Amino acid sequence: MYSYRTLVLCILFLAGVFFALPVVAEDSVVRVHSDIWMPYNGVPGSDEEGYAVDILREIFTPHDIRVEYADRSWNRSVLGLEQGGTDLVIGAFKFEVPNCIFPETTIGETVMGLYSTNPHLKINDYDGLRDLKIGIVSGWGYRKWLLEDAEKHPENYIRLYGDEAFPKLMELLLAHRVQLIPGSSMVMNYQIKRNGLQDKVFFVGYGPSPKSEKLYYAFSPLHPERSRRLAKIVDDGMKRLRESGRLAAILAKYGLSDWE
């Protein structure tokens, strides 16, 4: 039988575990963290926060839920989902964060393209990568074939870290310090057009796989009931935005049209 001392220790242990658990955020606030990835999400508080942030504000405001959006590196954002402090991230592939909770609704579909300042490059297989310096952002959900290639041939890859990693990669590409950048076709095309780089940065292929992937809002797995409730609000809200034409208006602000 358990002694009185053992019983007290068990109670204290359980109390310690209870108080160590992350506090569930109230439904009046949804904390959104992601690194800047326009046109999905941009500078917090700016006139163009990105269409995925605009959508969240449109959906949650009628429910008296405030969206707190902050720019954080992708690794920090995902860690926040797992440890607390982040309710959802923007632009996740399901294979990146398989333990998270996802709405049925996507926020887009994209294919990973390869971009260079050399318009004569044509890369459709692994061989085309070998003599190039390739810039990538550490922690991003690139395609499996690229991540495997980076592990096999680390000498070909330059990894950047932190909140400003992607803009720095673009700078390295334009300075010819890297010869290739892989990236979401929508993100890269938006950046090229927005910054007037049509005659400086070119799409040069899909590599070994042109497979497209669906993008989602990913909700924290820490508090699954709350996350499922919020995901359901997103699904219902997206349906309402589509039917009312409001989604089309939000996308038009960024020069885009509905992906479905």
Side-chain angles (χ1 to χ4, degrees):
M1 295 179 65
Y2 292 111
S3 67
Y4 174 78
R5 181 177 180 181
T6 302
L7 180 60
V8 170
L9 288 174
C10 287
I11 292 172
L12 290 174
F13 172 77
L14 290 173
V17 170
F18 175 79
F19 287 114
L21 288 174
V23 177
V24 180
E26 296 179 359
D27 279 356
S28 60
V29 177
V30 173
R31 299 158 299 179
V32 182
H33 300 144
S34 284
D35 54 351
I36 292 177
W37 207 43
M38 284 293 281
Y40 300 104
N41 56 291
V43 177
S46 68
D47 292 336
E48 293 188 347
E49 290 189 298
Y51 78 78
V53 178
D54 293 350
I55 287 171
L56 289 176
R57 296 196 189 284
E58 289 273 348
I59 287 175
F60 284 119
T61 296
H63 294 269
D64 294 323
I65 299 175
R66 179 166 50 89
V67 174
E68 286 187 356
Y69 165 54
D71 166 30
R72 292 185 180 175
S73 71
W74 185 249
N75 285 341
R76 287 178 61 204
S77 299
V78 172
L79 190 63
L81 289 177
E82 298 169 351
Q83 296 184 351
T86 302
D87 294 315
L88 72 90
V89 298
I90 294 171
F93 300 114
K94 283 188 174 182
F95 66 81
E96 284 183 280
V97 283
N99 294 328
C100 286
I101 292 168
F102 300 91
E104 294 181 5
T105 306
T106 68
I107 61 168
E109 188 167 351
T110 189
V111 61
M112 189 186 79
L114 303 174
Y115 296 81
S116 176
T117 55
N118 182 356
H120 304 296
L121 282 177
K122 298 300 175 188
I123 301 176
N124 299 308
D125 53 33
Y126 289 103
D127 291 339
L129 303 175
R130 289 290 69 83
D131 296 325
L132 303 174
K133 279 293 183 183
I134 305 164
I136 59 176
V137 178
S138 180
W140 275 21
Y142 294 105
R143 298 298 183 269
K144 183 179 179 181
W145 67 263
L146 184 80
L147 295 175
E148 290 177 347
D149 189 71
E151 291 298 320
K152 292 179 181 177
H153 302 279
E155 69 280 2
N156 286 117
Y157 288 82
I158 293 177
R159 297 175 182 266
L160 294 189
Y161 302 80
D163 298 351
E164 299 297 322
F166 181 71
K168 289 177 182 176
L169 275 185
M170 290 295 289
E171 292 176 6
L172 292 179
L173 182 67
L174 292 169
H176 306 292
R177 293 175 60 188
V178 299
Q179 287 79 51
L180 199 70
I181 288 181
S184 159
S185 56
M186 180 178 286
V187 173
M188 291 300 297
N189 291 338
Y190 184 88
Q191 292 294 334
I192 290 169
K193 182 178 179 180
R194 188 65 179 269
N195 295 292
L197 299 174
Q198 292 91 331
D199 60 344
K200 293 182 179 180
V201 179
F202 308 93
F203 167 77
V204 295
Y206 294 113
S209 174
K211 180 184 177 183
S212 64
E213 295 282 352
K214 294 179 179 180
L215 289 165
Y216 294 86
Y217 297 118
F219 288 84
S220 172
L222 275 182
H223 311 292
E225 290 186 8
R226 179 175 185 267
S227 289
R228 279 192 285 269
R229 184 165 63 251
L230 294 174
K232 179 65 164 55
I233 291 175
V234 167
D235 282 330
D236 293 344
M238 285 289 283
K239 181 179 179 182
R240 174 176 55 82
L241 292 181
R242 274 200 169 91
E243 291 176 347
S244 68
R246 182 59 188 153
L247 178 61
I250 292 172
L251 293 172
K253 176 181 175 181
Y254 299 92
L256 305 171
S257 56
D258 196 342
W259 56 93
E260 290 190 1

